[in-house]
Amino acid sequence: MGRVTSRRRVVRLVDDAATARPDTLAVEEPLEIRVRGKSLAVTMRTPGDDFDLAAGFLVSEGVVRNPSDIANIRYCAGATADGSNTYNVLDVGLADGVAPPDPSIERNFYTTSSCGLCGKASLDAVRTTATWQVAADPIRLDPKLITEFPAKLRVAQRVFDKTGGLHAAGLFDAAGNLLCLREDVGRHNAVDKVVGWATRNGRLPLTGTVLMVSGRASFELVQKAVMAGIPVLTAVSAPSSLAADLAEEMGVTLVGFLRGTSMNVYTGGHRLGVAVGAR
């Protein structure tokens, strides 16, 4: 398995003083995801929880809905010319009767760890492929409970403590308990790892849960929440306009700028006991 962190010598400048010292960096390496031996995607990620990442990615793509849809996940041996295994290529075997990715959405693409699946389909595509209707989720939350999530997320970020260079995604229940946390150089990968963990443990749909992300809330993150059946998405930074549009369309409660005791509620305010006015 690949390393999560690496050490590098740096020169630290403070005022006019220069000091040589070692620094810890978060590792970023490519991961190629294949389905039945056919390449589907290459993403830059932090090694670790790769099977969860692949499973969550396939849930987001609408290929997988239940753990029984996945026959196996394995690293591909001989990933290099000399036959050694880099643990940077894995193949997902689908169960009999599970259709492979539709040719219309198959993409041999490189996606950066920051932007996710840029250019992914429109609101209509998500609406037609979503398995669960999150709009009907009855979860209700006290806003004060949500304000505790960033601190809980931060405490659980062990690799961030060493590097300061990783995003995090955390899944909470309605009582504020942290069910799962994953870290990665890409916030989209961190979310896929959480969704993949839930998929492989038979927890989909994630009814009555809250997804907390350490960065901004993009269209792709709302999409991933919808595809996993998550009714509430909170972020410490801003959502994009398309993220808010999709959240409103699909009935997701979207919270941004969750810092200290304040937050902006963009959609689905009824779950927090507030009314969100029209645009």
Side-chain angles (χ1 to χ4, degrees), residues 178-196:
L178 180 60
L179 304 176
C180 176
L181 177 132
R182 294 291 185 266
E183 294 179 278
D184 200 276
V185 288
R187 60 185 181 278
H188 298 83
N189 292 339
V191 171
D192 276 340
K193 289 179 178 180
V194 168
V195 173

Side-chain angles (χ1 to χ4, degrees), residues 1-267:
M1 293 294 294
R3 295 175 298 165
V4 177
T5 63
S6 67
R7 300 283 281 177
R8 188 179 185 89
R9 190 173 181 81
V10 301
V11 175
R12 180 173 175 80
L13 296 175
V14 180
D15 297 325
D16 294 327
T19 305
R21 51 171 287 185
D23 192 30
T24 303
L25 303 179
V27 170
E28 182 176 30
E29 293 182 353
L31 177 69
E32 179 183 354
I33 300 174
R34 299 175 182 174
V35 176
R36 289 177 175 166
K38 184 175 182 180
S39 182
L40 179 65
V42 177
T43 186
M44 300 302 295
R45 98 305 189 191
T46 300
D49 303 303
D50 289 338
F51 287 10
D52 287 346
L53 172 57
F57 176 81
L58 292 178
V59 169
S60 298
E61 290 296 305
V63 178
V64 168
R65 293 173 174 80
N66 300 292
S68 59
D69 292 341
I70 299 175
N72 55 71
I73 305 176
R74 63 181 180 86
Y75 287 105
C76 296
T80 63
D82 63 2
S84 62
N85 197 329
T86 63
Y87 295 98
N88 285 337
V89 181
L90 59 78
D91 186 51
V92 181
L94 301 179
D96 293 340
V98 178
D102 190 282
S104 66
I105 65 169
E106 285 184 13
R107 301 174 298 282
N108 288 321
F109 59 80
Y110 163 83
T111 173
T112 70
S113 55
S114 59
C115 79
L117 306 185
C118 300
K120 186 70 170 74
S122 64
L123 305 179
D124 288 340
V126 180
R127 187 191 306 114
T128 56
T129 57
T131 304
W132 299 285
Q133 301 300 315
V134 297
D137 195 302
I139 184 175
R140 295 295 185 271
L141 298 162
D142 184 341
K144 292 182 179 179
L145 180 69
I146 292 180
T147 62
E148 300 174 0
F149 289 176
K152 290 182 177 180
L153 199 71
R154 178 65 185 83
V155 169
Q157 287 184 258
R158 296 181 179 179
V159 182
F160 182 88
D161 284 338
K162 300 178 181 178
T163 66
L166 289 183
H167 285 286
L171 186 70
F172 293 86
D173 64 19
N177 299 306
L178 180 60
L179 304 176
C180 176
L181 177 132
R182 294 291 185 266
E183 294 179 278
D184 200 276
V185 288
R187 60 185 181 278
H188 298 83
N189 292 339
V191 171
D192 276 340
K193 289 179 178 180
V194 168
V195 173
W197 166 84
T199 303
R200 298 176 69 213
N201 285 278
R203 288 175 172 259
L204 295 187
L206 288 168
T207 306
T209 61
V210 180
L211 179 64
M212 173 79 204
V213 296
S214 60
R216 64 184 179 88
S218 64
F219 169 83
E220 289 89 357
L221 296 193
V222 177
Q223 171 192 328
K224 292 177 186 297
V226 170
M227 296 301 287
I230 300 172
V232 183
L233 172 62
T234 64
V236 298
S237 192
S240 68
S241 62
L242 195 58
D245 289 344
L246 180 60
E248 185 174 44
E249 171 77 19
M250 303 304 294
V252 173
T253 297
L254 179 61
V255 175
F257 291 108
L258 180 55
R259 302 170 184 175
T261 59
S262 66
M263 68 187 76
N264 289 351
V265 183
Y266 294 88
T267 62

